[in-house]
Amino acid sequence: MPDVQSMVLEFVNKLRKRKIEGSQATARCTVELLRSVISHHRVPHANQASALIDAVKAVGAQLVAANPVELAVGNVVRRVLHIIREEDLSLATAAVAGLDLLDASDDDEDVNGKGIGYPGMSAAVVAAAARSTLRPPSLQTLLEGTPESATVPYTSSSGADSESKTADKSSITRKLKHDVIEGVNQLIHEIAGCHEQIAEQAIEHIHQNEVILTLGSSRTVLEFLCAAKEKKRSFRVFVAEGAPRYQGHLLAKELVARGLQTTVITDSAVFAMISRVNMVIIGAHAVMANGGVIGPVGVNMAALAAKKHAVPFVVLAGSHKLCPLYPHNPEVLLNELRSPSELLDFGEFSDCLDFGTGSGSPLLQVVNPTFDYVPPSLVSLFITDTGGHNPSYMYRLIADYYSADDLVM
Amino acid sequence: MESRRNPRAVVDPKVRQVGFFTSSQPDSTHQPDPIASESHPVASSISPSGNSLSPVMIPPPRHNSSDTFLLRAAAAAASAVSPSSFSYSTRRDFPDGSMTASPGRVSRASFSKPSSSLPGVGMDSMAAAKSSSVPASGLTTVSVVNMPPGLSEKESDQKKNSKPLKEKTTKAERRALQEAQRAAKAAAKAEGGKAPLVSSGSVASTNVKAAKPAKPSSQKNDVAVAAPGPSEKKGGQTEKDRKKDAPHPRMQYDDESRVVKAKRRAVVKQTEAKNRVELFRHLPQYEHGTQLPDLETKFFQLDPMHPAVYKVGLQYLSGDISGGNARCIAMLQAFQEVVKDYSTPSEKTLNRDMTAKISSYVSFLIECRPLSVSMGNAIRFVKNRIAKLPITLSESEAKAALQSDIERFINEKIIMADTVIVKHAVTKIRDGDVLLTYGSPTAVEMVLLHAHELKKKFRVLVVDSRPKLEGQLLLRRLIKRGISCTYTHINAVSYIMHEVTKVFLGASSVLSNGTVYSRVGTACVAMVASAFRVPVLVCCEAYKFHERVQLDSICSNELGDPNAISKVHGREDINYLDGLTNNANLQFLNLMYDATPSDYISMIITDYGMVPPTSVPVIVREYQKEHSLV
């Protein structure tokens, strides 16, 4: 599968050169790439799930390393891993259920057989995985599963059972890949459709004559506002221009094109205007597990101002932006510095910027960060495609999407 | 300036009777509030008891204490201290008997005037102090005398009310009280019928009206002082005094009739911008760049306009001069030119005609660009000086005095104040500090340069914002001196705030509720700094302090050129909004200032020392007094 390898390399290059912008686009490309990785991956007869997981992990590690700041890549890789685990689990339980019908007396063995495809993994993890498949964990599985695994160490066995079982499994292998690809397709669909899902809720949050402040250019925000507009709500939007990238200009242009009352303000006027604003709506770059938000630069300022004036600070985020990591020093570690040329004219200041002056360090430094971190205490509400959530609930939402062993890749 | 007790004396007579009508009343009222004693004599002279006794009883027993207070407050401004204390202490030596007659006052003023030219400040301010406090009391006395002593039904009413206190109040006191009430009533009536400006009945009133749109506050005050002679509406005086305390309404540009009126008078034909932000209808916004050529051609037709003023106005309009101090100095220097070239027309007096002239110039300058608070204060000073010019002075003497006064204002209130501020602020910079500043405040720049000269080792973070990008100019100047700098945009301020140890900001004005009114974005920086627990120091000369209060940045502000927002200078790739400037759905808001709440500010460094924002009203009060009296 050289073609897959070249595709991966190409995508890695794109990520490295920051050719792909926006978490949604990145997420989509990543899923599509992973889908082709999975479909081209020749699954061994035994341990198909773990083989798939390893393959996805290997590619995922490359992608994450290519742009560690673009958290959506890691999120999507984890989501895919989660899908594989989940599909495998459901197949295994289906198989177990089938076996149960065949041979009810062999019950104890079959419970162990459930562990197929989870090599080197304790049953506790299996139980955790089972829990995270959105099925309510039953008391019975908890009680039965854990003590057994504690006493009986798992032995990776594939075809050690009866004849009928191996026949079943060959169909399972084919089915697993198929199911995983189905699941990944669903994920693609979900990422593509998250705007509509979020926009549907707009009407519940925007009332007549509302004044909304936004900054940065986010497609989610655009769709959200336009959805409210289509429902005949009339409201005004203040757009901070978002220097030095001026994405606010872009957003303003699109809002105006859709007939919304738009006012462009400078970033410095955010504090001055916030007292007349009813709601701040922001598109996130990523949402951390603690409920903190990484957004376009300047967001923290707006959030602080909103807090001061008790203006609701609403963050729109598709589920692919939910990151299962807890941030440490996110302002620095999850940030990216862009070219100083966006701030200063090199021609004018070139003499101060070079390192040749005496001490070896230039007199002038220019800082041009891309992102800003908003602590959860400043966020009033998250609107995701599954509905509105508190910042404190984010960890739980994240637990639904990811399995615990993928957190560290 | 007048104490707040003054209106109460009229409105709530019963309280006054109980509290103030005892024999030892001046002392008892003075005790709790020694600082207010400066203003008290006037109040007590207006109050009935003051009238019933001789005006001489206005005892300044607290002047010593207030002097020491002033000394303390002004300890920083070494130059300012001695004159003010001198003036207050000498004031006592003058007999107050001349209060009723204005000629007496004039002669006294003229006696003190020549001496003022020698050392400069002291005697001058004293004379001014005299004349400002005298007319008020003198007028009320006259009004009391003029009032018929007949009993009206109100009077009898009053009698019933005051019966229990009868044995304590003398007849004369009661009568005086009633007179005061009546006077207040008459004044209120006059107020309702006409605009207060008209009621002052001075020659200047017409010109004042012309200038009214933008800065009625200063004008009104000036008129009140400018007409010290016994005018017809004496009763209005108390009312006016009360008015003086409250901030005056500014021109609201959503009031169509007034806008039309103002337009008719305007020299500068500004075209209203079409696509405006609804929230800011009350502020003027004009098409930029259209009036300049028009005005330039008009130059030779506008003979009443002095060329120096005209030049400054055009410089404001084109934005060549910006920054509070620069604008103020330019204006004052233009006024100096005006004074130099001035000659009194026949049948006019210098005081009134010059005031009128200045007013018309000011209204021209307002048309070019709304005044800053600092300029308003400076104009108020100039007009005060003109009004206080003794009549006995010859024209050339008066002109020389005015010119030196203006010169002194520039030197003392702006240039000296800056050096004092620098001296204070430098003590706050330590080795290894990382200082953040926003925009291009002149005072802060001087502080940084001076600290660098003292070989302090520190780094400067220059935060800048669109559309003016003034920070780049500051950056240039700092780097030229070899100060290590970091430059960034205001959006990144929370990214760099981690490393900052102190934030130095400038201010266009400091309002008396502690709000700092400054270049837009200052509030953002201060807010982020306080969120990161970084101290925020504001450097501001005391002449920019104002008794006005403001809670938000919307009620009063200045709107810049909206096109500056849609076009990004030097970035041709940002052209998303190029064809949309006339779209009805799209507005651009270019705010010039914002109001920083006082809770974000750790300290204000002024020429009076380093004070917390809560002390601003104290400085405003003390300073305004000195300011108007100087």
Side-chain angles (χ1 to χ4, degrees):
Chain A
M1 36 172 191
D3 51 331
V4 174
Q5 202 54 45
S6 67
M7 275 167 71
V8 170
L9 281 179
E10 192 191 338
F11 188 62
V12 163
N13 266 333
K14 269 192 192 167
L15 279 178
R16 231 178 239 149
K17 291 175 182 166
R18 309 293 193 257
K19 285 270 173 63
I20 304 176
E21 281 208 349
S23 48
Q24 206 226 0
T26 323
R28 254 182 109 156
C29 293
T30 312
V31 199
E32 275 158 16
L33 181 76
L34 289 180
R35 184 175 59 180
S36 53
V37 166
I38 291 168
S39 62
H40 285 87
H41 191 73
R42 205 161 294 152
V43 189
H45 211 61
N47 266 344
Q48 330 83 14
S50 65
L52 268 185
I53 285 170
D54 287 343
V56 169
K57 265 192 175 168
V59 174
Q62 282 184 63
L63 298 184
V64 170
N67 187 356
V69 177
E70 187 52 270
L71 295 166
V73 175
N75 298 345
V76 165
V77 172
R78 290 188 186 100
R79 287 286 292 273
V80 171
L81 291 174
H82 182 62
I83 287 169
I84 297 172
R85 289 179 203 280
E86 206 173 287
E87 291 300 334
D88 188 41
L89 187 75
S90 64
L91 277 181
T93 45
V96 168
L99 281 177
D100 278 351
L101 288 178
L102 282 176
D103 189 4
S105 66
D106 213 358
D107 202 22
D108 272 6
E109 294 264 335
D110 287 321
V111 172
N112 261 356
K114 199 165 87 175
I116 290 173
Y118 297 90
M121 196 187 307
S122 72
V125 174
V126 178
R131 230 176 294 139
S132 63
T133 56
L134 297 177
R135 281 171 304 183
S138 84
L139 193 59
Q140 194 190 1
T141 51
L142 283 175
L143 288 176
E144 280 179 2
T146 31
E148 265 174 27
S149 67
T151 51
V152 184
Y154 180 76
T155 49
S156 83
S157 60
S158 48
D161 291 304
S162 64
E163 282 290 296
S164 62
K165 243 182 169 178
T166 41
D168 262 1
K169 242 175 248 158
S170 62
S171 72
I172 284 172
T173 52
R174 260 175 274 120
K175 195 147 185 301
L176 175 70
K177 204 159 131 178
H178 179 257
D179 284 355
V180 165
I181 287 176
E182 272 300 292
V184 171
N185 279 336
Q186 230 169 33
L187 180 61
I188 293 176
H189 189 72
E190 184 191 314
I191 290 172
C194 73
H195 295 319
E196 287 83 58
Q197 294 273 327
I198 293 173
E200 265 176 26
Q201 305 165 51
I203 205 76
E204 295 170 24
H205 295 283
I206 297 176
H207 64 72
Q208 190 75 16
N209 273 342
E210 186 133 48
V211 181
I212 292 168
L213 176 79
T214 181
L215 60 151
S217 172
S218 157
R219 183 136 171 256
T220 324
V221 172
L222 178 70
E223 299 283 342
F224 191 80
L225 296 177
C226 291
K229 171 78 183 166
E230 275 161 25
K231 298 268 164 60
K232 303 285 180 248
R233 287 284 146 84
S234 79
F235 53 94
R236 266 181 299 152
V237 185
F238 283 109
V239 182
E241 58 180 4
R245 299 184 66 191
Y246 304 103
Q247 293 201 308
H249 286 196
L250 199 62
L251 181 69
K253 184 187 177 185
E254 294 188 32
L255 287 174
V256 168
R258 309 231 189 157
L260 275 144
Q261 277 288 329
T262 311
T263 306
V264 180
I265 63 172
T266 52
D267 304 308
S268 44
V270 163
F271 186 88
M273 295 310 301
I274 200 91
S275 58
R276 298 298 181 272
V277 165
N278 301 129
M279 180 156 59
V280 183
I281 299 182
I282 294 291
H285 171 71
V287 178
M288 308 308 288
N290 65 345
V293 176
I294 292 174
V297 69
V299 162
N300 190 39
M301 202 168 71
L304 281 169
K307 186 80 179 175
K308 160 85 181 169
H309 288 90
V311 175
F313 186 83
V314 177
V315 178
L316 309 183
S319 58
H320 60 275
K321 295 186 181 180
L322 305 181
C323 180
L325 303 176
Y326 285 83
H328 167 68
N329 200 5
E331 289 95 337
V332 178
L333 296 183
L334 293 176
N335 213 331
E336 200 167 35
L337 293 180
R338 294 171 65 85
S339 161
S341 68
E342 290 181 334
L343 294 187
L344 278 184
D345 189 7
F346 277 165
E348 205 177 322
F349 283 89
S350 53
D351 51 327
C352 326
L353 282 164
D354 64 341
F355 284 71
T357 52
S359 59
S361 66
L363 267 182
L364 171 61
Q365 290 171 331
V366 177
V367 181
N368 184 10
T370 319
F371 301 117
D372 226 349
Y373 173 72
V374 181
S377 56
L378 299 181
V379 180
S380 318
L381 184 71
F382 284 101
I383 299 180
T384 68
D385 33 9
T386 57
H389 301 288
N390 246 12
S392 56
Y393 187 72
M394 274 299 132
Y395 82 97
R396 187 68 194 84
L397 204 62
I398 279 160
D400 285 348
Y401 286 119
Y402 305 97
S403 47
D405 4 71
D406 297 329
L407 294 190
V408 182
M409 301 214 323
Chain B
M1 284 177 281
E2 263 70 20
S3 82
R4 251 152 283 171
R5 287 187 202 115
N6 172 13
R8 220 200 292 157
V10 178
V11 172
D12 195 3
K14 265 197 261 178
V15 174
R16 293 288 296 179
Q17 280 171 343
V18 174
F20 285 70
F21 275 58
T22 50
S23 55
S24 65
Q25 80 40 46
D27 277 356
S28 67
T29 48
H30 275 299
Q31 238 92 54
D33 191 7
I35 296 162
S37 68
E38 259 315 300
S39 53
H40 195 82
V42 180
S44 63
S45 71
I46 290 169
S47 77
S49 63
N51 287 331
S52 68
L53 304 173
S54 117
V56 191
M57 73 144 284
I58 300 170
R62 296 287 143 196
H63 278 196
N64 279 333
S65 73
S66 84
D67 281 346
T68 53
F69 175 80
L70 268 179
L71 269 169
R72 245 181 293 125
S79 64
V81 169
S82 54
S84 63
S85 61
F86 175 48
S87 73
Y88 287 126
S89 52
T90 43
R91 192 159 88 159
R92 206 190 322 176
D93 302 335
F94 282 94
D96 277 340
S98 58
M99 205 155 263
T100 42
S102 55
R105 195 193 85 248
V106 169
S107 68
R108 186 154 28 81
S110 62
F111 138 72
S112 67
K113 188 66 209 166
S115 64
S116 76
S117 58
L118 302 173
V121 203
M123 296 301 274
D124 231 12
S125 61
M126 169 208 65
K130 272 280 47 123
S131 51
S132 82
S133 68
V134 166
S137 52
L139 285 176
T140 31
T141 331
V142 173
S143 78
V144 169
V145 173
N146 285 348
M147 284 296 182
L151 270 160
S152 67
E153 87 275 8
K154 215 160 288 138
E155 228 166 350
S156 53
D157 252 31
Q158 193 50 55
K159 263 193 181 154
K160 272 175 222 154
N161 284 347
S162 58
K163 232 163 202 164
L165 293 163
K166 208 168 187 179
E167 50 277 17
K168 275 186 193 166
T169 56
T170 67
K171 216 172 189 179
E173 278 171 333
R174 275 202 313 277
R175 175 163 302 161
L177 177 74
Q178 288 147 12
E179 306 298 3
Q181 281 176 327
R182 195 174 305 153
K185 218 167 181 185
K189 235 175 235 169
E191 205 78 34
K194 293 185 203 171
L197 286 172
V198 184
S199 72
S200 70
S202 74
V203 181
S205 72
T206 47
N207 305 291
V208 165
K209 227 177 169 184
K212 189 165 50 179
K215 200 73 193 173
S217 67
S218 60
Q219 257 98 54
K220 243 182 252 177
N221 278 347
D222 296 334
V223 171
V225 196
S231 67
E232 296 79 29
K233 310 255 178 177
K234 284 104 191 173
Q237 191 70 34
T238 50
E239 189 70 15
K240 211 177 290 155
D241 291 344
R242 190 197 312 179
K243 276 256 157 133
K244 241 187 261 173
D245 270 353
H248 302 276
R250 272 158 305 211
M251 169 85 170
Q252 301 296 313
Y253 284 78
D254 48 352
D255 184 350
E256 272 177 33
S257 58
R258 298 194 70 180
V259 169
V260 168
K261 256 187 231 163
K263 257 197 177 164
R264 221 174 291 140
R265 286 188 300 265
V267 178
V268 191
K269 289 284 170 263
Q270 301 260 38
T271 36
E272 285 269 321
K274 282 177 219 112
N275 208 358
R276 298 183 50 185
V277 182
E278 197 56 42
L279 216 49
F280 289 92
R281 287 263 170 217
H282 60 287
L283 299 176
Q285 182 164 29
Y286 304 117
E287 301 277 359
H288 280 247
T290 53
Q291 338 75 341
L292 211 52
D294 179 45
L295 267 183
E296 273 161 3
T297 57
K298 259 195 205 162
F299 181 76
F300 296 104
Q301 303 157 21
L302 288 170
D303 40 83
M305 199 59 62
H306 192 278
V309 176
Y310 201 77
K311 187 178 143 203
V312 171
L314 290 189
Q315 278 169 328
Y316 289 167
L317 194 61
S318 59
D320 289 346
I321 299 182
S322 64
N325 285 347
R327 277 167 73 196
C328 195
I329 290 175
M331 181 190 71
L332 286 174
Q333 280 168 346
F335 283 165
Q336 266 185 317
E337 291 288 308
V338 169
V339 172
K340 204 172 85 185
D341 300 343
Y342 178 80
S343 64
T344 320
S346 54
E347 298 161 10
K348 281 185 180 170
T349 57
L350 180 137
N351 300 25
R352 295 186 171 177
D353 187 56
M354 180 114 65
T355 313
K357 268 232 152 73
I358 296 281
S359 296
S360 73
Y361 294 154
V362 167
S363 63
F364 167 74
L365 293 179
I366 290 170
E367 285 159 24
C368 294
R369 193 182 159 183
L371 295 184
S372 65
V373 169
S374 56
M375 290 163 73
N377 282 344
I379 291 166
R380 199 196 297 193
F381 165 80
V382 170
K383 289 194 172 175
N384 253 323
R385 294 310 306 145
I386 296 173
K388 303 280 171 48
L389 280 177
I391 296 168
T392 48
L393 279 191
S394 72
E395 190 180 304
S396 59
E397 278 175 324
K399 280 163 62 174
L402 264 185
Q403 274 177 293
S404 77
D405 279 342
I406 295 175
E407 186 67 44
R408 191 161 48 77
F409 186 89
I410 296 176
N411 281 333
E412 209 172 90
K413 300 294 173 200
I414 305 178
I415 295 169
M416 277 297 285
D418 273 336
T419 59
V420 174
I421 288 174
V422 166
K423 222 175 277 169
H424 284 304
V426 155
T427 62
K428 295 291 162 204
I429 300 180
R430 277 185 260 165
D431 279 351
D433 264 351
V434 179
L435 310 173
L436 185 143
T437 184
Y438 174 71
S440 171
T442 47
V444 174
E445 184 182 342
M446 288 160 74
V447 170
L448 297 177
L449 292 179
H450 189 239
H452 186 65
E453 277 164 21
L454 295 179
K455 301 266 183 288
K456 299 205 176 187
K457 295 198 170 37
F458 60 95
R459 213 150 57 77
V460 181
L461 302 181
V462 180
V463 179
D464 206 352
S465 84
R466 281 237 312 140
K468 287 208 149 187
L469 295 177
E470 291 162 311
Q472 293 192 359
L473 305 174
L474 174 70
L475 188 66
R476 255 270 160 246
R477 292 193 290 263
L478 291 181
I479 284 176
K480 209 170 274 170
R481 299 294 191 89
I483 300 175
S484 165
C485 292
T486 303
Y487 178 82
T488 191
H489 256 285
I490 188 162
N491 271 338
V493 74
S494 41
Y495 175 85
I496 50 167
M497 198 52 87
H498 292 279
E499 44 182 318
V500 175
T501 55
K502 275 171 200 102
V503 175
F504 278 88
L505 297 173
S508 165
S509 156
V510 177
L511 309 180
S512 73
N513 59 344
T515 301
V516 171
Y517 185 70
S518 187
R519 173 69 65 220
V520 64
T522 306
C524 289
V525 174
M527 173 187 65
V528 174
S530 76
F532 282 80
R533 310 276 188 276
V534 179
V536 178
L537 292 85
V538 174
C539 299
C540 183
E541 300 86 357
Y543 86 104
K544 292 177 175 174
F545 286 24
H546 201 273
E547 77 260 8
R548 213 170 70 199
V549 290
Q550 204 172 323
L551 287 174
D552 58 21
S553 322
I554 292 165
C555 289
S556 113
N557 211 318
E558 191 182 332
L559 298 179
D561 181 9
N563 291 327
I565 293 194
S566 60
K567 289 198 176 51
V568 182
H569 181 72
R571 293 280 300 278
E572 278 71 31
D573 49 323
I574 312 290
N575 53 4
Y576 310 117
L577 298 171
D578 269 359
L580 295 170
T581 39
N582 284 324
N583 193 313
N585 282 335
L586 182 63
Q587 285 101 34
F588 297 97
L589 179 63
N590 187 0
L591 275 186
M592 299 287 274
Y593 297 100
D594 65 9
T596 310
S598 59
D599 33 340
Y600 293 148
I601 292 156
S602 327
M603 180 195 274
I604 296 174
I605 304 177
T606 121
D607 29 340
Y608 289 109
M610 297 182 270
V611 296
T614 45
S615 298
V616 170
V618 180
I619 288 194
V620 166
R621 191 175 60 196
E622 295 303 316
Y623 179 81
Q624 292 288 330
K625 205 175 300 150
E626 182 198 335
H627 179 75
S628 56
L629 301 186
V630 163

